[in-house]
Amino acid sequence: MLVAIEIYITFAMKNKNNSDIMGNIKPQRIEYIDALRGVTIIMVVLTHVASANGVDTLGKGNFHSLFLQFRMPLFFFISGFLFYKENLIWNWRSFCGFLRKKIPVQIVSPFIFLLCYIYYCDLSFKGAMADEFKAGYWFTFTLFSYFVLYIILDKVLDFFKIKKCYHSGFNIALGFFFYFFCSYAILVNWIGAELNATGLVRLLGLPQLKYFIFFVIGVCVKKNFGTFLNILDCSPLLPMMIVIYFSV
């Protein structure tokens, strides 16, 4: 229940601040994007309520396991789509303004609810923080890390004078790298059992980097939204992508 309330508050605060980073211009809303965001909220709430009532949400043949395949990818795709602002130039001022708006929403508020959840369920604070899922609140912290990572990558590529047209390709390549190589087993193999014994991988939530590709794709779609719509209108690309995704 606390998770459901926190999700509602997080999205309500995001809607309230749904302006550019400097708080001047309110962008035009896209209704079906809001609808998709609502769907992800409903799916998350359903799964958590079912799990709290003893339902094996990861069991074979369970419709919750179907939700799991696209629920979080859809959430991060929408987040990337909404994150991108065409006329925004990232500099120190815009970055600090962004942090001032996002830290209360993505870090402070979820952390308060996490503490309440730990107290209510009589959990170990150390155990909850060492868990890569942070007692269910991982996605807000992970999303914040995606925001910061994307901005830093953009500035690093600018520093090395990489043309803007190549930024998306680099981010997509990095996203696929994370997707295929950030599983828990592979990360443990890389860092070694001794370092993993410290719980560093789960504490930092490194396995959740696998969803970064969906965030990046959301940004790319927003950047090229007109072209994306034309492609979908003129070809069977969308159903093909859906079939391929669920076949992998």
Side-chain angles (χ1 to χ4, degrees):
M1 190 62 180
L2 282 171
V3 174
I5 294 171
E6 164 58 19
I7 292 170
Y8 175 80
I9 291 176
T10 298
F11 279 102
M13 292 178 71
K14 287 176 72 175
N15 282 336
K16 183 179 179 181
N17 294 323
N18 193 20
S19 56
D20 70 353
I21 299 304
M22 303 313 298
N24 297 320
I25 303 170
K26 190 170 184 178
Q28 184 178 1
R29 299 287 289 273
I30 303 177
E31 291 183 0
Y32 54 83
I33 293 296
D34 284 339
L36 281 174
R37 187 163 55 177
V39 168
T40 62
I41 294 173
I42 291 171
M43 286 190 292
V44 169
V45 171
L46 278 175
T47 301
H48 280 282
V49 169
S51 179
N53 285 276
V55 177
D56 180 13
T57 56
L58 299 178
K60 246 185 175 181
N62 192 310
F63 68 88
H64 290 288
S65 62
L66 176 63
F67 287 169
L68 190 62
Q69 294 184 51
F70 67 89
R71 181 185 68 204
M72 298 318 299
L74 179 60
F75 170 80
F76 288 114
F77 170 85
I78 295 171
S79 298
F81 186 94
L82 297 175
F83 168 76
Y84 177 74
K85 304 293 186 294
E86 183 177 1
N87 298 319
L88 178 63
I89 298 175
W90 288 112
N91 51 39
W92 183 247
R93 183 184 177 191
S94 59
F95 181 61
C96 289
F98 178 82
L99 291 181
R100 280 196 302 270
K101 287 190 174 183
K102 290 299 180 182
I103 287 177
V105 177
Q106 308 288 161
I107 303 297
V108 177
S109 174
F111 189 72
I112 291 172
F113 275 87
L114 174 59
L115 291 177
C116 293
Y117 181 77
I118 290 171
Y119 175 78
Y120 179 77
C121 296
D122 195 24
L123 301 176
S124 162
F125 175 79
K126 183 179 178 180
M129 296 308 297
D131 176 20
E132 66 184 273
F133 297 109
K134 303 295 182 287
Y137 290 88
W138 67 273
F139 65 96
T140 57
F141 305 129
T142 297
L143 181 57
F144 181 80
S145 71
Y146 288 177
F147 290 149
V148 175
L149 176 60
Y150 186 90
I151 295 169
I152 291 175
L153 287 174
D154 186 69
K155 298 314 294 180
V156 168
L157 293 173
D158 283 342
F159 178 80
F160 287 103
K161 302 187 185 306
I162 306 297
K163 292 182 178 179
K164 286 289 185 183
C165 58
Y166 297 131
H167 285 205
S168 294
F170 178 85
N171 288 327
I172 288 175
L174 182 64
F176 274 116
F177 175 83
F178 287 155
Y179 183 79
F180 288 109
F181 293 101
C182 277
S183 71
Y184 180 72
I186 292 177
L187 286 169
V188 170
N189 186 52
W190 278 5
I191 70 172
E194 185 176 340
L195 184 57
N196 178 60
T198 65
L200 186 65
V201 170
R202 294 188 185 277
L203 176 65
L204 298 178
L206 295 181
Q208 310 307 348
L209 283 172
K210 64 185 177 182
Y211 292 113
F212 185 65
I213 181 61
F214 301 103
F215 179 85
V216 171
I217 290 174
V219 172
C220 293
V221 168
K222 183 67 173 295
K223 277 185 180 180
N224 307 282
F225 194 49
T227 303
F228 179 75
L229 289 179
N230 289 335
I231 292 174
L232 293 185
D233 287 341
C234 301
S235 71
L237 180 62
L238 182 58
M240 286 173 59
M241 290 171 59
I242 293 173
V243 170
I244 292 172
Y245 177 77
F246 283 102
S247 299
V248 173

